[in-house]
mmCIF file of all heavy atoms in Angstrom:
data_model
loop_
_atom_site.group_PDB
_atom_site.id
_atom_site.type_symbol
_atom_site.label_atom_id
_atom_site.label_comp_id
_atom_site.label_asym_id
_atom_site.label_seq_id
_atom_site.Cartn_x
_atom_site.Cartn_y
_atom_site.Cartn_z
ATOM 1 N N ILE A 7 60.033 202.210 31.804
ATOM 2 C CA ILE A 7 61.414 201.697 32.009
ATOM 3 C C ILE A 7 61.718 202.174 33.450
ATOM 4 O O ILE A 7 61.790 203.393 33.668
ATOM 5 C CB ILE A 7 62.384 202.044 30.995
ATOM 6 C CG1 ILE A 7 62.018 201.284 29.773
ATOM 7 C CG2 ILE A 7 63.772 201.721 31.498
ATOM 8 C CD1 ILE A 7 62.971 201.521 28.436
ATOM 9 N N LEU A 31 62.975 196.689 33.664
ATOM 10 C CA LEU A 31 64.073 197.261 34.586
ATOM 11 C C LEU A 31 65.496 197.169 34.018
ATOM 12 O O LEU A 31 65.904 196.105 33.493
ATOM 13 C CB LEU A 31 63.838 196.663 35.949
ATOM 14 C CG LEU A 31 64.560 197.294 37.108
ATOM 15 C CD1 LEU A 31 63.718 197.143 38.445
ATOM 16 C CD2 LEU A 31 66.064 196.743 37.362
ATOM 17 N N GLN A 35 74.470 196.347 37.252
ATOM 18 C CA GLN A 35 75.164 195.246 37.928
ATOM 19 C C GLN A 35 74.107 193.972 37.704
ATOM 20 O O GLN A 35 72.978 194.019 37.532
ATOM 21 C CB GLN A 35 75.232 195.460 39.308
ATOM 22 C CG GLN A 35 76.183 196.635 39.685
ATOM 23 C CD GLN A 35 76.645 196.620 41.080
ATOM 24 O OE1 GLN A 35 77.120 195.864 41.641
ATOM 25 N NE2 GLN A 35 76.321 197.912 41.576
ATOM 26 N N LEU A 42 76.735 198.133 49.513
ATOM 27 C CA LEU A 42 77.216 198.820 50.718
ATOM 28 C C LEU A 42 76.139 199.238 51.686
ATOM 29 O O LEU A 42 75.598 200.236 51.366
ATOM 30 C CB LEU A 42 78.214 199.905 50.389
ATOM 31 C CG LEU A 42 79.183 200.573 51.551
ATOM 32 C CD1 LEU A 42 80.056 199.692 52.084
ATOM 33 C CD2 LEU A 42 79.630 201.903 51.015
ATOM 34 N N PRO A 49 59.755 197.723 61.110
ATOM 35 C CA PRO A 49 58.443 197.058 60.971
ATOM 36 C C PRO A 49 57.622 197.676 59.942
ATOM 37 O O PRO A 49 56.866 196.877 59.066
ATOM 38 C CB PRO A 49 57.857 197.171 62.295
ATOM 39 C CG PRO A 49 58.991 197.409 63.351
ATOM 40 C CD PRO A 49 60.022 198.062 62.426
ATOM 41 N N ASP A 53 55.803 195.726 56.644
ATOM 42 C CA ASP A 53 54.302 195.882 56.363
ATOM 43 C C ASP A 53 54.145 196.419 54.961
ATOM 44 O O ASP A 53 53.338 195.909 54.196
ATOM 45 C CB ASP A 53 53.688 196.864 57.357
ATOM 46 C CG ASP A 53 52.256 197.008 57.174
ATOM 47 O OD1 ASP A 53 51.511 195.930 57.127
ATOM 48 O OD2 ASP A 53 51.774 198.230 57.128
ATOM 49 N N GLY A 74 79.629 207.440 75.287
ATOM 50 C CA GLY A 74 79.849 206.462 76.271
ATOM 51 C C GLY A 74 78.690 205.924 77.113
ATOM 52 O O GLY A 74 78.784 205.098 77.973
ATOM 53 N N LYS A 77 72.204 202.817 75.715
ATOM 54 C CA LYS A 77 70.779 202.965 75.888
ATOM 55 C C LYS A 77 70.062 201.999 75.072
ATOM 56 O O LYS A 77 70.412 201.784 73.734
ATOM 57 C CB LYS A 77 70.441 204.449 75.368
ATOM 58 C CG LYS A 77 68.928 204.557 75.261
ATOM 59 C CD LYS A 77 68.302 204.884 76.617
ATOM 60 C CE LYS A 77 66.842 205.205 76.520
ATOM 61 N NZ LYS A 77 66.162 205.467 77.745
ATOM 62 N N LYS A 78 69.121 201.178 75.618
ATOM 63 C CA LYS A 78 68.241 200.252 74.771
ATOM 64 C C LYS A 78 67.005 200.870 74.444
ATOM 65 O O LYS A 78 66.312 201.476 75.103
ATOM 66 C CB LYS A 78 67.972 199.006 75.627
ATOM 67 C CG LYS A 78 67.237 197.987 74.921
ATOM 68 C CD LYS A 78 66.754 196.815 75.820
ATOM 69 C CE LYS A 78 65.988 195.763 75.022
ATOM 70 N NZ LYS A 78 65.601 194.590 75.824
ATOM 71 N N ARG A 88 71.657 192.559 52.395
ATOM 72 C CA ARG A 88 71.195 193.185 51.082
ATOM 73 C C ARG A 88 71.601 192.347 49.988
ATOM 74 O O ARG A 88 70.893 192.393 48.919
ATOM 75 C CB ARG A 88 71.946 194.537 51.050
ATOM 76 C CG ARG A 88 71.284 195.631 51.965
ATOM 77 C CD ARG A 88 70.048 196.034 51.732
ATOM 78 N NE ARG A 88 69.769 196.663 50.446
ATOM 79 C CZ ARG A 88 70.055 197.829 50.147
ATOM 80 N NH1 ARG A 88 70.347 198.775 51.110
ATOM 81 N NH2 ARG A 88 69.925 198.397 48.883
ATOM 82 N N ILE A 141 71.041 212.693 36.899
ATOM 83 C CA ILE A 141 72.082 213.462 36.270
ATOM 84 C C ILE A 141 71.553 214.084 34.922
ATOM 85 O O ILE A 141 71.920 215.146 34.684
ATOM 86 C CB ILE A 141 73.258 212.397 35.976
ATOM 87 C CG1 ILE A 141 73.829 212.027 37.411
ATOM 88 C CG2 ILE A 141 74.216 212.997 35.111
ATOM 89 C CD1 ILE A 141 74.860 210.945 37.216
ATOM 90 N N PHE A 144 67.716 216.404 36.231
ATOM 91 C CA PHE A 144 67.465 217.144 37.477
ATOM 92 C C PHE A 144 68.576 217.759 38.167
ATOM 93 O O PHE A 144 68.597 218.693 39.046
ATOM 94 C CB PHE A 144 66.711 216.247 38.404
ATOM 95 C CG PHE A 144 65.505 215.688 37.876
ATOM 96 C CD1 PHE A 144 65.334 214.378 37.646
ATOM 97 C CD2 PHE A 144 64.367 216.506 37.883
ATOM 98 C CE1 PHE A 144 64.121 213.815 37.055
ATOM 99 C CE2 PHE A 144 63.085 216.045 37.389
ATOM 100 C CZ PHE A 144 63.074 214.707 36.938
ATOM 101 N N LYS A 145 69.927 217.195 37.817
ATOM 102 C CA LYS A 145 71.079 217.670 38.570
ATOM 103 C C LYS A 145 71.319 219.110 38.507
ATOM 104 O O LYS A 145 71.676 219.884 39.499
ATOM 105 C CB LYS A 145 72.275 217.037 38.034
ATOM 106 C CG LYS A 145 73.637 217.257 38.833
ATOM 107 C CD LYS A 145 74.787 216.362 38.270
ATOM 108 C CE LYS A 145 76.040 216.892 38.958
ATOM 109 N NZ LYS A 145 77.235 216.016 38.506
ATOM 110 N N GLU A 161 81.774 196.318 56.028
ATOM 111 C CA GLU A 161 82.150 194.901 55.480
ATOM 112 C C GLU A 161 81.322 193.861 56.125
ATOM 113 O O GLU A 161 80.947 193.949 57.283
ATOM 114 C CB GLU A 161 83.746 194.606 56.084
ATOM 115 C CG GLU A 161 84.288 193.421 55.458
ATOM 116 C CD GLU A 161 84.779 193.611 54.134
ATOM 117 O OE1 GLU A 161 85.024 194.748 53.667
ATOM 118 O OE2 GLU A 161 84.788 192.447 53.366
ATOM 119 N N ILE A 181 83.837 211.183 65.581
ATOM 120 C CA ILE A 181 83.450 211.065 64.242
ATOM 121 C C ILE A 181 81.983 211.804 64.194
ATOM 122 O O ILE A 181 81.336 211.825 65.019
ATOM 123 C CB ILE A 181 83.061 209.469 63.881
ATOM 124 C CG1 ILE A 181 82.852 209.358 62.364
ATOM 125 C CG2 ILE A 181 82.006 208.921 64.709
ATOM 126 C CD1 ILE A 181 82.638 207.915 62.004
ATOM 127 N N GLY A 183 79.232 211.109 63.021
ATOM 128 C CA GLY A 183 78.240 210.119 62.441
ATOM 129 C C GLY A 183 78.302 208.971 63.548
ATOM 130 O O GLY A 183 78.250 209.103 64.785
ATOM 131 N N VAL A 199 81.117 201.996 59.430
ATOM 132 C CA VAL A 199 81.242 203.292 60.002
ATOM 133 C C VAL A 199 80.745 204.247 58.901
ATOM 134 O O VAL A 199 80.938 204.121 57.711
ATOM 135 C CB VAL A 199 82.647 203.661 60.495
ATOM 136 C CG1 VAL A 199 83.607 203.523 59.294
ATOM 137 C CG2 VAL A 199 82.744 205.049 61.044
ATOM 138 N N LYS A 207 87.284 217.992 56.023
ATOM 139 C CA LYS A 207 88.221 217.134 55.338
ATOM 140 C C LYS A 207 88.495 215.938 56.348
ATOM 141 O O LYS A 207 89.452 216.020 57.169
ATOM 142 C CB LYS A 207 89.416 217.698 54.886
ATOM 143 C CG LYS A 207 89.274 218.700 53.663
ATOM 144 C CD LYS A 207 90.638 219.350 53.244
ATOM 145 C CE LYS A 207 90.288 220.187 52.099
ATOM 146 N NZ LYS A 207 91.471 220.824 51.650
ATOM 147 N N GLU A 212 90.536 206.460 58.666
ATOM 148 C CA GLU A 212 91.065 206.611 59.898
ATOM 149 C C GLU A 212 90.044 206.047 61.076
ATOM 150 O O GLU A 212 90.448 205.361 61.919
ATOM 151 C CB GLU A 212 91.578 208.001 60.264
ATOM 152 C CG GLU A 212 92.716 208.513 59.362
ATOM 153 C CD GLU A 212 93.150 209.951 59.679
ATOM 154 O OE1 GLU A 212 92.537 210.526 60.727
ATOM 155 O OE2 GLU A 212 93.958 210.467 59.004
#
Side-chain angles (χ1 to χ4, degrees):
I7 292 180
L31 190 147
Q35 298 187 60
L42 187 68
D53 180 57
K77 175 78 173 177
K78 181 180 178 180
R88 290 290 299 273
I141 292 170
F144 302 106
K145 184 176 181 179
E161 186 76 26
I181 189 174
V199 58
K207 293 183 178 179
E212 293 180 7

